[in-house]
Amino acid sequence: MAISQLGLGTLSMVFLSASLVMLWFIILSGVTSTTPLDKTFFLRADTRGITGARPITQWTYFFICGDGNTNCDPAIPALPIGYAWAGGARNVPAELIGSYGGDTTSHQYWYLWRFGTVFYLITLFFSVIAFFTGFLSCCSRLGSALSGLISLVALFFNTLAVSLMTATFVKMRNAFAADNREASLGTYAFGFAWGSWAALLISTVLFCIGRRKEKNVGPTTGRRGWGRRSKSVRSGKSYDGRRVKEEYP
């Protein structure tokens, strides 16, 4: 049985809502000690012996925190990853430190994560717009087309954001490991990141299906769509090119 426009629009909204919730979990990580925000971080690393660093450091979206997302530094947009230690610190893995961010961060990681944070905010902006226009998709194909277009833009930037996030912190983990320091990726953060991306992808596909959904054809009325009647052909007989009227009793 075919799904109605209302059902398809509602399903699209459910997946879009799920994507937004997980996206908020990523952005608000470290804000409070409430689960799952206290367990959401991109990377956890052993930073003992590094000048100005905590024994254990966890990187979140706006904060650099200690163990359990506690004792966090003030929130900083587009946070340089090297703010976990002092400028010109000693014992930092050579790949991570450089002249950027007050001599705390290498140029590679400075740009990788800076663009990643910006793309997340752009994703959030377009996802919120798609959410509000998504209500129109429940009642019209035009609404589905508009929501699908906006969510497609959000998906594009979300793909960039998740890819840069993954590249940044996987490389950081490997750099710490190469320096004989324990480091691990945040299960919650990466789960939310890729889960949000997948939910947004499904929502975008459903919006596009709603745009392409064919109008139903009535089996007995001969009507197609909303009030559009197909041409009817009356039977008649003709002889010698002349139309003969039907006989009436």
Side-chain angles (χ1 to χ4, degrees), residues 2-240:
I3 302 178
S4 66
Q5 186 74 43
L6 176 61
L8 201 57
T10 302
L11 193 59
S12 303
M13 292 288 289
V14 168
F15 280 101
L16 182 56
S17 300
S19 176
L20 273 169
V21 169
M22 288 184 280
L23 189 60
W24 277 114
F25 283 157
I26 294 171
I27 293 176
L28 297 179
S29 57
V31 172
T32 70
S33 58
T34 304
T35 303
L37 299 181
D38 62 332
K39 294 180 174 62
T40 304
F41 55 85
F42 301 120
L43 181 72
R44 171 190 171 92
D46 175 10
T47 51
R48 292 180 180 88
I50 297 177
T51 308
R54 302 169 176 82
I56 298 294
T57 302
Q58 295 182 173
W59 283 263
T60 69
Y61 189 84
F62 281 121
F63 303 94
I64 291 178
C65 303
D67 189 19
N69 281 357
T70 58
N71 189 27
C72 298
D73 292 337
I76 299 176
L79 179 70
I81 60 100
Y83 275 15
W85 43 77
R90 299 177 61 185
N91 302 322
V92 183
E95 181 181 329
L96 304 180
I97 194 167
S99 59
Y100 289 77
D103 295 329
T104 63
T105 310
S106 68
H107 73 282
Q108 180 183 20
Y109 288 92
W110 171 268
Y111 287 111
L112 270 177
W113 187 227
R114 175 151 293 207
F115 279 102
T117 56
V118 171
F119 288 146
Y120 264 119
L121 292 179
I122 297 175
T123 299
L124 179 63
F125 174 76
F126 282 104
S127 294
V128 170
I129 294 178
F131 177 79
F132 286 108
T133 60
F135 290 102
L136 299 175
S137 69
C138 297
C139 55
S140 71
R141 297 171 64 196
L142 180 59
S144 292
L146 179 61
S147 300
L149 178 61
I150 298 173
S151 62
L152 186 61
V153 175
L155 180 65
F156 171 75
F157 286 105
N158 197 7
T159 303
L160 293 177
V162 176
S163 299
L164 287 174
M165 181 193 108
T166 303
T168 299
F169 293 102
V170 168
K171 285 172 66 65
M172 281 184 66
R173 180 201 60 185
N174 296 341
F176 278 111
D179 199 44
N180 296 319
R181 294 179 179 273
E182 290 187 6
S184 59
L185 300 175
T187 304
Y188 279 77
F190 276 83
F192 289 144
W194 285 104
S196 176
W197 180 87
L200 182 58
L201 173 63
I202 295 172
S203 177
T204 302
V205 171
L206 292 175
F207 279 133
C208 293
I209 292 175
R211 166 63 183 87
R212 296 172 60 87
K213 187 174 176 61
E214 293 291 337
K215 297 178 180 179
N216 294 328
V217 179
T220 58
T221 60
R223 294 182 181 274
R224 180 177 177 83
W226 294 339
R228 296 181 60 184
R229 187 183 182 97
S230 60
K231 293 182 179 180
S232 60
V233 180
R234 295 183 178 180
S235 61
K237 299 179 181 180
S238 61
Y239 298 93
D240 298 331

